[in-house]
């Protein structure tokens, strides 16, 4: 049984993950970390990792970027594996992630969805055939009206997957309104839509002469990210120090 500490347990994702964990036999959440207290979660909640008195195998983090430095310091010092789901990290924090991964196992991903990460793997195979044959590549992402960053980290990760398969041949274009020029065949266009309560939609379009191939993923709730985070926790517990990603979780399952 894998024992999990939920870092950010009283947030929306923390509560979602708590509910999902109750349905899994392979793991259990033994403690939560949050400045807020909630006795209804079914496990003890501590204000900090330092105050936590419960032993665990891995930390799952869905808190905030401002809490990441303390989280990394603790996990590095205690050799505690951590699934780092918080986004919007600074360059300095990303560097710290790499440094801590030399002390303990760290899994970080722009998107925790199993579906999105499987899609990335499929895109690399498709890109070698379709982009290699001259198909244009465009990405359209849609999110709710409260999302502040654009394009999404997931859209960039999808573009990176295509670009990696093509040996980094492409540059990214985010706004076509600034220049009235013909499309560069060595670019990946990325467009962002914000509206309503859209959880997340991503579409990767390979457009060639007289045919179009489209890959798409739709998230209907945030539960898909929570499920992926818990699968990552199962994968990471007991791993040697290093920096891991959801691609490693997908590969281990296949």
């Amino acid at each position: 049984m894998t024992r999990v500490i939920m870092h950010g347990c009283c947030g929306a994702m923390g509560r979602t993950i708590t509910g999902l964990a109750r349905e899994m036999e392979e793991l259990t959440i033994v403690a939560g970390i949050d400045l807020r207290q909630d006795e209804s979660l079914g496990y003890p909640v501590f204000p900090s990792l330092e105050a936590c008195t419960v032993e665990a195998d891995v930390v799952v983090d869905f808190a905030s970027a401002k809490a990441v430095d303390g989280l990394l310091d603790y996990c590095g010092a205690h050799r505690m594996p951590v699934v780092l789901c918080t986004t919007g990290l600074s360059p300095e924090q990303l560097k710290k992630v790499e440094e801590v991964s030399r002390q303990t196992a760290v899994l970080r991903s722009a998107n925790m969805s199993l579906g999105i990460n499987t899609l990335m793997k499929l895109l690399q195979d498709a890109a070698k055939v379709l982009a290699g044959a001259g198909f244009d590549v465009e990405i359209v992402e849609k999110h709710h009206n409260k999302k502040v960053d654009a394009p999404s980290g997931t859209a960039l990760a999808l573009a990176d997957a295509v670009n990696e398969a093509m040996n980094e041949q492409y540059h990214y274009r985010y706004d076509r309104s600034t220049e009235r020029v013909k499309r560069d065949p060595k670019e990946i266009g990325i467009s962002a839509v914000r509206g309503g309560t859209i959880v997340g939609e991503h579409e990767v379009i390979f457009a060639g002469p007289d045919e179009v191939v489209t890959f798409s993923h739709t998230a209907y709730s945030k539960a898909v990210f929570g499920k992926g985070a818990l699968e990552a926790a199962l994968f990471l517990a007991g791993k040697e120090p290093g920096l891991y990603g959801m691609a490693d979780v997908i590969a281990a399952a296949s």
Side-chain angles (χ1 to χ4, degrees):
M1 177 73 72
T2 299
R3 300 167 298 175
V4 176
I5 292 176
M6 184 66 234
H7 189 255
C9 61
C10 293
M13 279 307 305
R15 294 177 185 279
T16 296
I17 290 173
T18 296
L20 291 169
R22 293 193 186 107
E23 301 174 5
M24 298 179 67
E25 297 180 354
E26 309 95 322
L27 61 74
T28 182
I29 298 180
V30 294
I33 307 299
D34 207 294
L35 292 176
R36 295 164 289 180
Q37 296 296 305
D38 190 337
E39 297 180 358
S40 69
L41 294 175
Y43 48 76
V45 178
F46 300 91
S48 67
L49 282 164
E50 288 76 13
C52 182
T53 58
V54 181
E55 292 187 1
D57 303 303
V58 60
V59 175
V60 172
D61 164 68
F62 251 115
S64 66
K66 62 183 179 182
V68 164
D69 289 305
L71 169 70
L72 291 174
D73 288 339
Y74 177 91
C75 291
H78 293 79
R79 303 293 192 271
M80 174 70 77
V82 55
V83 178
L84 186 60
C85 304
T86 297
T87 57
L89 304 186
S90 68
E92 293 76 18
Q93 287 176 315
L94 292 175
K95 182 178 179 181
K96 192 168 188 174
V97 169
E98 294 185 5
E99 293 171 352
V100 171
S101 71
R102 292 192 281 270
Q103 301 170 284
T104 190
V106 180
L107 189 148
R108 177 180 171 272
S109 176
N111 188 305
M112 300 306 297
S113 159
L114 294 172
I116 279 288
N117 285 278
T118 301
L119 176 59
M120 289 181 189
K121 185 177 180 181
L122 295 172
L123 284 176
Q124 293 199 318
D125 292 335
K128 293 172 184 176
V129 176
L130 301 175
F135 281 53
D136 296 322
V137 185
E138 293 285 320
I139 297 174
V140 179
E141 57 98 344
K142 304 174 185 179
H143 285 87
H144 53 84
N145 57 23
K146 292 181 174 59
K147 186 172 179 62
V148 296
D149 57 317
S152 68
T154 300
L156 292 173
L158 293 171
D160 289 343
V162 172
N163 212 1
E164 181 182 335
M166 300 307 294
N167 298 314
E168 312 296 335
Q169 295 181 23
Y170 292 89
H171 64 273
Y172 304 158
R173 179 177 291 275
Y174 308 114
D175 183 5
R176 299 191 188 283
S177 66
T178 58
E179 297 181 60
R180 297 181 65 84
V181 295
K182 181 181 176 181
R183 187 189 194 282
D184 186 341
K186 292 299 182 183
E187 74 181 28
I188 297 177
I190 306 177
S191 303
V193 176
R194 296 289 176 267
T197 58
I198 301 171
V199 175
E201 296 181 18
H202 293 84
E203 187 175 57
V204 183
I205 304 163
F206 292 89
D210 304 315
E211 61 178 333
V212 175
V213 179
T214 302
F215 293 82
S216 64
H217 177 273
T218 301
Y220 291 103
S221 79
K222 292 183 178 180
V224 299
F225 311 123
K227 177 62 175 175
L230 290 174
E231 292 295 336
L234 285 172
F235 165 84
L236 199 64
K239 287 289 187 295
E240 293 295 321
L243 187 57
Y244 299 86
M246 286 299 290
D248 298 302
V249 180
I250 299 294
S254 62

